[in-house]
Amino acid sequence: MLAILLLYTLALFSTALSISINNTLYLISNAERPSRRRPGLTPVGMDRAKSCIPSVFGALDLGLIVVCTPDIKTNICIPANTTAAPLAASLGLVPDTSCSTGDDADVDCIGDLLREYATKSTQSILVIWDSNDMDDLLENLNLELAENNDGIDTGEDDEDDLAIYADIILIKNKKKHIIEASMNCTGIDGQAAGSFYVACAVRLWLFIYNLVPSPPLSFGLSLFVSRTSHSAFVPLRVR
Ligand SMILES: *[C@@H]1O[C@H](CO)[C@@H](O)[C@H](O)[C@H]1NC(C)=O
Ligand SMILES: *[C@@H]1O[C@H](CO)[C@@H](O)[C@H](O)[C@H]1NC(C)=O
Ligand SMILES: *[C@@H]1O[C@H](CO)[C@@H](O)[C@H](O)[C@H]1NC(C)=O
């Protein structure tokens, strides 16, 4: 009984102890990668690694770049390593890849590494991790994302966003909570021109389709095609 209480108290205590360093900490995942564990980055991912990331992080006084240990056999952290390379080269830094990720990884490695660096430098730190393991990274640093208070329960964790969106930056300043930001790079981040128009057209078609009592699908589709090319849709277009 006492042991259980003690364990419970320890667990409470340890979750409260998020990594405490004065250096600004930036966390990102690898840039866009191809499907089916094929190696490398997609063309957009390569663009992010070569131009977007160096332009965003080039002037943030980085003194340390940490990348999870790349493993050629499993492809784990290879995309993260590729993502880091252009920025590291432009800053003259060699990424520290001593901490691995995954089931067999040492959970204290990354925290110890960052604390050790903080004892000798006040410069900022960028951590680039495998997009499949962002939740492990946050857990190992005892960092929690702020609750999303928009009142919409999507049934998904905010951590899932980190695996999906390569533009997200998590920023931790001294004692403050984590801030989420977008790299917001021209041409690859945010909403593409015209995507709002397509979403509206699809919604309107669904609306019309539901109004007409079970018309054959081909009728619905031809209605969609003729209506989408019709000028009545033009006022919906956002410029
Ligand atoms: C952070 O900075 C404050 C003063 O600015 C200092 O007192 C404190 O010891 C520092 N904390 C760490 C973990 O270095
Ligand atoms: C990781 O990236 C560096 C360049 O930053 C490169 O020299 C090295 O070969 C890469 N490692 C692997 C395993 O791909
Ligand atoms: C992204 O950048 C555009 C202009 O480059 C700006 O208008 C927009 O507010 C930015 N969005 C975010 C989320 O920072």
Side-chain angles (χ1 to χ4, degrees), residues 67 69-72 76-89 93-95 97:
V67 177
T69 317
D71 182 338
I72 291 175
I76 290 173
C77 300
I78 296 280
N81 190 62
T82 309
T83 302
L87 174 69
L93 294 172
V94 176
T97 57

PDB file of all heavy atoms in Angstrom, residues 67 69-72 76-89 93-95 97, ligand 2:
ATOM      1  N   VAL A  67      19.933  15.631 -33.655  1.00  0.00           N
ATOM      2  CA  VAL A  67      19.138  14.780 -34.548  1.00  0.00           C
ATOM      3  C   VAL A  67      19.165  13.373 -33.967  1.00  0.00           C
ATOM      4  O   VAL A  67      20.229  12.901 -33.535  1.00  0.00           O
ATOM      5  CB  VAL A  67      19.744  14.761 -35.979  1.00  0.00           C
ATOM      6  CG1 VAL A  67      18.970  13.833 -36.889  1.00  0.00           C
ATOM      7  CG2 VAL A  67      19.800  16.162 -36.565  1.00  0.00           C
ATOM      8  N   THR A  69      19.540   9.447 -33.719  1.00  0.00           N
ATOM      9  CA  THR A  69      20.535   8.631 -34.425  1.00  0.00           C
ATOM     10  C   THR A  69      19.983   8.020 -35.704  1.00  0.00           C
ATOM     11  O   THR A  69      19.042   7.217 -35.656  1.00  0.00           O
ATOM     12  CB  THR A  69      21.019   7.469 -33.519  1.00  0.00           C
ATOM     13  OG1 THR A  69      21.238   7.972 -32.209  1.00  0.00           O
ATOM     14  CG2 THR A  69      22.272   6.834 -34.083  1.00  0.00           C
ATOM     15  N   PRO A  70      20.539   8.400 -36.883  1.00  0.00           N
ATOM     16  CA  PRO A  70      20.030   7.809 -38.129  1.00  0.00           C
ATOM     17  C   PRO A  70      20.461   6.345 -38.256  1.00  0.00           C
ATOM     18  O   PRO A  70      21.587   6.000 -37.927  1.00  0.00           O
ATOM     19  CB  PRO A  70      20.669   8.675 -39.223  1.00  0.00           C
ATOM     20  CG  PRO A  70      21.821   9.355 -38.597  1.00  0.00           C
ATOM     21  CD  PRO A  70      21.580   9.405 -37.122  1.00  0.00           C
ATOM     22  N   ASP A  71      19.528   5.509 -38.690  1.00  0.00           N
ATOM     23  CA  ASP A  71      19.799   4.089 -38.819  1.00  0.00           C
ATOM     24  C   ASP A  71      19.476   3.660 -40.257  1.00  0.00           C
ATOM     25  O   ASP A  71      18.306   3.621 -40.648  1.00  0.00           O
ATOM     26  CB  ASP A  71      18.923   3.316 -37.820  1.00  0.00           C
ATOM     27  CG  ASP A  71      19.177   1.819 -37.854  1.00  0.00           C
ATOM     28  OD1 ASP A  71      19.684   1.320 -38.885  1.00  0.00           O
ATOM     29  OD2 ASP A  71      18.863   1.153 -36.855  1.00  0.00           O
ATOM     30  N   ILE A  72      20.512   3.347 -41.018  1.00  0.00           N
ATOM     31  CA  ILE A  72      20.326   3.031 -42.441  1.00  0.00           C
ATOM     32  C   ILE A  72      19.460   1.788 -42.633  1.00  0.00           C
ATOM     33  O   ILE A  72      18.655   1.712 -43.557  1.00  0.00           O
ATOM     34  CB  ILE A  72      21.701   2.863 -43.139  1.00  0.00           C
ATOM     35  CG1 ILE A  72      22.391   4.230 -43.199  1.00  0.00           C
ATOM     36  CG2 ILE A  72      21.551   2.295 -44.539  1.00  0.00           C
ATOM     37  CD1 ILE A  72      23.782   4.214 -43.740  1.00  0.00           C
ATOM     38  N   ILE A  76      14.987   4.778 -39.736  1.00  0.00           N
ATOM     39  CA  ILE A  76      14.600   5.665 -38.636  1.00  0.00           C
ATOM     40  C   ILE A  76      15.597   6.832 -38.552  1.00  0.00           C
ATOM     41  O   ILE A  76      16.810   6.622 -38.572  1.00  0.00           O
ATOM     42  CB  ILE A  76      14.564   4.902 -37.286  1.00  0.00           C
ATOM     43  CG1 ILE A  76      13.384   3.923 -37.274  1.00  0.00           C
ATOM     44  CG2 ILE A  76      14.468   5.857 -36.110  1.00  0.00           C
ATOM     45  CD1 ILE A  76      13.349   3.006 -36.073  1.00  0.00           C
ATOM     46  N   CYS A  77      15.058   8.029 -38.543  1.00  0.00           N
ATOM     47  CA  CYS A  77      15.847   9.274 -38.392  1.00  0.00           C
ATOM     48  C   CYS A  77      16.726   9.611 -39.599  1.00  0.00           C
ATOM     49  O   CYS A  77      17.469  10.592 -39.552  1.00  0.00           O
ATOM     50  CB  CYS A  77      16.690   9.270 -37.126  1.00  0.00           C
ATOM     51  SG  CYS A  77      15.682   9.126 -35.641  1.00  0.00           S
ATOM     52  N   ILE A  78      16.677   8.795 -40.653  1.00  0.00           N
ATOM     53  CA  ILE A  78      17.408   9.188 -41.871  1.00  0.00           C
ATOM     54  C   ILE A  78      16.779  10.460 -42.459  1.00  0.00           C
ATOM     55  O   ILE A  78      17.491  11.411 -42.784  1.00  0.00           O
ATOM     56  CB  ILE A  78      17.416   8.041 -42.918  1.00  0.00           C
ATOM     57  CG1 ILE A  78      18.180   6.829 -42.373  1.00  0.00           C
ATOM     58  CG2 ILE A  78      18.006   8.512 -44.234  1.00  0.00           C
ATOM     59  CD1 ILE A  78      19.683   6.922 -42.465  1.00  0.00           C
ATOM     60  N   PRO A  79      15.425  10.525 -42.584  1.00  0.00           N
ATOM     61  CA  PRO A  79      14.839  11.779 -43.080  1.00  0.00           C
ATOM     62  C   PRO A  79      15.161  12.969 -42.165  1.00  0.00           C
ATOM     63  O   PRO A  79      15.385  14.077 -42.651  1.00  0.00           O
ATOM     64  CB  PRO A  79      13.331  11.486 -43.094  1.00  0.00           C
ATOM     65  CG  PRO A  79      13.219  10.000 -43.185  1.00  0.00           C
ATOM     66  CD  PRO A  79      14.389   9.474 -42.406  1.00  0.00           C
ATOM     67  N   ALA A  80      15.212  12.741 -40.846  1.00  0.00           N
ATOM     68  CA  ALA A  80      15.545  13.832 -39.918  1.00  0.00           C
ATOM     69  C   ALA A  80      16.976  14.298 -40.156  1.00  0.00           C
ATOM     70  O   ALA A  80      17.265  15.501 -40.169  1.00  0.00           O
ATOM     71  CB  ALA A  80      15.363  13.366 -38.476  1.00  0.00           C
ATOM     72  N   ASN A  81      17.871  13.341 -40.371  1.00  0.00           N
ATOM     73  CA  ASN A  81      19.276  13.663 -40.627  1.00  0.00           C
ATOM     74  C   ASN A  81      19.423  14.461 -41.927  1.00  0.00           C
ATOM     75  O   ASN A  81      20.175  15.426 -41.995  1.00  0.00           O
ATOM     76  CB  ASN A  81      20.086  12.358 -40.685  1.00  0.00           C
ATOM     77  CG  ASN A  81      21.577  12.586 -40.696  1.00  0.00           C
ATOM     78  OD1 ASN A  81      22.144  13.132 -39.752  1.00  0.00           O
ATOM     79  ND2 ASN A  81      22.223  12.202 -41.796  1.00  0.00           N
ATOM     80  N   THR A  82      18.669  14.038 -42.959  1.00  0.00           N
ATOM     81  CA  THR A  82      18.709  14.748 -44.243  1.00  0.00           C
ATOM     82  C   THR A  82      18.129  16.156 -44.098  1.00  0.00           C
ATOM     83  O   THR A  82      18.620  17.100 -44.712  1.00  0.00           O
ATOM     84  CB  THR A  82      17.892  13.960 -45.306  1.00  0.00           C
ATOM     85  OG1 THR A  82      18.330  12.609 -45.292  1.00  0.00           O
ATOM     86  CG2 THR A  82      18.072  14.552 -46.687  1.00  0.00           C
ATOM     87  N   THR A  83      17.077  16.274 -43.267  1.00  0.00           N
ATOM     88  CA  THR A  83      16.450  17.574 -43.034  1.00  0.00           C
ATOM     89  C   THR A  83      17.433  18.548 -42.388  1.00  0.00           C
ATOM     90  O   THR A  83      17.458  19.735 -42.707  1.00  0.00           O
ATOM     91  CB  THR A  83      15.216  17.401 -42.115  1.00  0.00           C
ATOM     92  OG1 THR A  83      14.312  16.489 -42.722  1.00  0.00           O
ATOM     93  CG2 THR A  83      14.512  18.726 -41.869  1.00  0.00           C
ATOM     94  N   ALA A  84      18.266  18.032 -41.485  1.00  0.00           N
ATOM     95  CA  ALA A  84      19.180  18.892 -40.725  1.00  0.00           C
ATOM     96  C   ALA A  84      20.389  19.348 -41.539  1.00  0.00           C
ATOM     97  O   ALA A  84      20.944  20.427 -41.280  1.00  0.00           O
ATOM     98  CB  ALA A  84      19.667  18.142 -39.482  1.00  0.00           C
ATOM     99  N   ALA A  85      20.784  18.525 -42.524  1.00  0.00           N
ATOM    100  CA  ALA A  85      22.089  18.729 -43.173  1.00  0.00           C
ATOM    101  C   ALA A  85      22.315  20.135 -43.760  1.00  0.00           C
ATOM    102  O   ALA A  85      23.336  20.757 -43.446  1.00  0.00           O
ATOM    103  CB  ALA A  85      22.313  17.643 -44.224  1.00  0.00           C
ATOM    104  N   PRO A  86      21.381  20.687 -44.588  1.00  0.00           N
ATOM    105  CA  PRO A  86      21.671  22.011 -45.170  1.00  0.00           C
ATOM    106  C   PRO A  86      21.809  23.113 -44.113  1.00  0.00           C
ATOM    107  O   PRO A  86      22.713  23.947 -44.207  1.00  0.00           O
ATOM    108  CB  PRO A  86      20.469  22.273 -46.092  1.00  0.00           C
ATOM    109  CG  PRO A  86      19.908  20.921 -46.388  1.00  0.00           C
ATOM    110  CD  PRO A  86      20.133  20.123 -45.139  1.00  0.00           C
ATOM    111  N   LEU A  87      20.947  23.100 -43.103  1.00  0.00           N
ATOM    112  CA  LEU A  87      21.030  24.117 -42.041  1.00  0.00           C
ATOM    113  C   LEU A  87      22.353  23.974 -41.282  1.00  0.00           C
ATOM    114  O   LEU A  87      23.054  24.966 -41.043  1.00  0.00           O
ATOM    115  CB  LEU A  87      19.854  23.978 -41.060  1.00  0.00           C
ATOM    116  CG  LEU A  87      19.929  24.894 -39.836  1.00  0.00           C
ATOM    117  CD1 LEU A  87      19.729  26.348 -40.237  1.00  0.00           C
ATOM    118  CD2 LEU A  87      18.912  24.494 -38.772  1.00  0.00           C
ATOM    119  N   ALA A  88      22.676  22.739 -40.904  1.00  0.00           N
ATOM    120  CA  ALA A  88      23.904  22.493 -40.158  1.00  0.00           C
ATOM    121  C   ALA A  88      25.114  22.979 -40.955  1.00  0.00           C
ATOM    122  O   ALA A  88      25.989  23.668 -40.419  1.00  0.00           O
ATOM    123  CB  ALA A  88      24.032  21.006 -39.830  1.00  0.00           C
ATOM    124  N   ALA A  89      25.137  22.655 -42.245  1.00  0.00           N
ATOM    125  CA  ALA A  89      26.260  23.070 -43.086  1.00  0.00           C
ATOM    126  C   ALA A  89      26.348  24.592 -43.151  1.00  0.00           C
ATOM    127  O   ALA A  89      27.437  25.163 -43.056  1.00  0.00           O
ATOM    128  CB  ALA A  89      26.108  22.478 -44.492  1.00  0.00           C
ATOM    129  N   LEU A  93      27.739  23.832 -38.105  1.00  0.00           N
ATOM    130  CA  LEU A  93      27.540  22.960 -36.943  1.00  0.00           C
ATOM    131  C   LEU A  93      27.489  21.499 -37.385  1.00  0.00           C
ATOM    132  O   LEU A  93      27.031  21.199 -38.485  1.00  0.00           O
ATOM    133  CB  LEU A  93      26.227  23.302 -36.236  1.00  0.00           C
ATOM    134  CG  LEU A  93      26.109  24.675 -35.562  1.00  0.00           C
ATOM    135  CD1 LEU A  93      24.671  24.913 -35.097  1.00  0.00           C
ATOM    136  CD2 LEU A  93      27.074  24.788 -34.394  1.00  0.00           C
ATOM    137  N   VAL A  94      27.926  20.611 -36.529  1.00  0.00           N
ATOM    138  CA  VAL A  94      27.771  19.177 -36.783  1.00  0.00           C
ATOM    139  C   VAL A  94      26.683  18.673 -35.842  1.00  0.00           C
ATOM    140  O   VAL A  94      26.816  18.789 -34.629  1.00  0.00           O
ATOM    141  CB  VAL A  94      29.096  18.412 -36.531  1.00  0.00           C
ATOM    142  CG1 VAL A  94      28.880  16.912 -36.715  1.00  0.00           C
ATOM    143  CG2 VAL A  94      30.187  18.918 -37.453  1.00  0.00           C
ATOM    144  N   PRO A  95      25.567  18.149 -36.392  1.00  0.00           N
ATOM    145  CA  PRO A  95      24.489  17.696 -35.507  1.00  0.00           C
ATOM    146  C   PRO A  95      24.961  16.613 -34.540  1.00  0.00           C
ATOM    147  O   PRO A  95      25.761  15.764 -34.912  1.00  0.00           O
ATOM    148  CB  PRO A  95      23.442  17.138 -36.484  1.00  0.00           C
ATOM    149  CG  PRO A  95      23.722  17.821 -37.777  1.00  0.00           C
ATOM    150  CD  PRO A  95      25.206  18.008 -37.815  1.00  0.00           C
ATOM    151  N   THR A  97      24.146  13.348 -32.920  1.00  0.00           N
ATOM    152  CA  THR A  97      23.210  12.251 -33.216  1.00  0.00           C
ATOM    153  C   THR A  97      23.376  11.123 -32.191  1.00  0.00           C
ATOM    154  O   THR A  97      23.115   9.958 -32.502  1.00  0.00           O
ATOM    155  CB  THR A  97      23.435  11.683 -34.639  1.00  0.00           C
ATOM    156  OG1 THR A  97      24.790  11.244 -34.747  1.00  0.00           O
ATOM    157  CG2 THR A  97      23.163  12.718 -35.705  1.00  0.00           C
TER     158      THR A  97
HETATM  159  C1  LIG B   2      23.728  12.489 -41.696  1.00  0.00           C
HETATM  160  O1  LIG B   2      23.952  13.776 -42.222  1.00  0.00           O
HETATM  161  C2  LIG B   2      25.332  14.122 -42.376  1.00  0.00           C
HETATM  162  C3  LIG B   2      25.378  15.556 -42.856  1.00  0.00           C
HETATM  163  O2  LIG B   2      24.865  16.415 -41.876  1.00  0.00           O
HETATM  164  C4  LIG B   2      25.992  13.163 -43.334  1.00  0.00           C
HETATM  165  O3  LIG B   2      27.362  13.474 -43.441  1.00  0.00           O
HETATM  166  C5  LIG B   2      25.818  11.748 -42.822  1.00  0.00           C
HETATM  167  O4  LIG B   2      26.348  10.835 -43.777  1.00  0.00           O
HETATM  168  C6  LIG B   2      24.351  11.423 -42.589  1.00  0.00           C
HETATM  169  N1  LIG B   2      24.236  10.129 -41.969  1.00  0.00           N
HETATM  170  C7  LIG B   2      23.492   9.131 -42.477  1.00  0.00           C
HETATM  171  C8  LIG B   2      23.511   7.854 -41.736  1.00  0.00           C
HETATM  172  O5  LIG B   2      22.847   9.271 -43.497  1.00  0.00           O
END
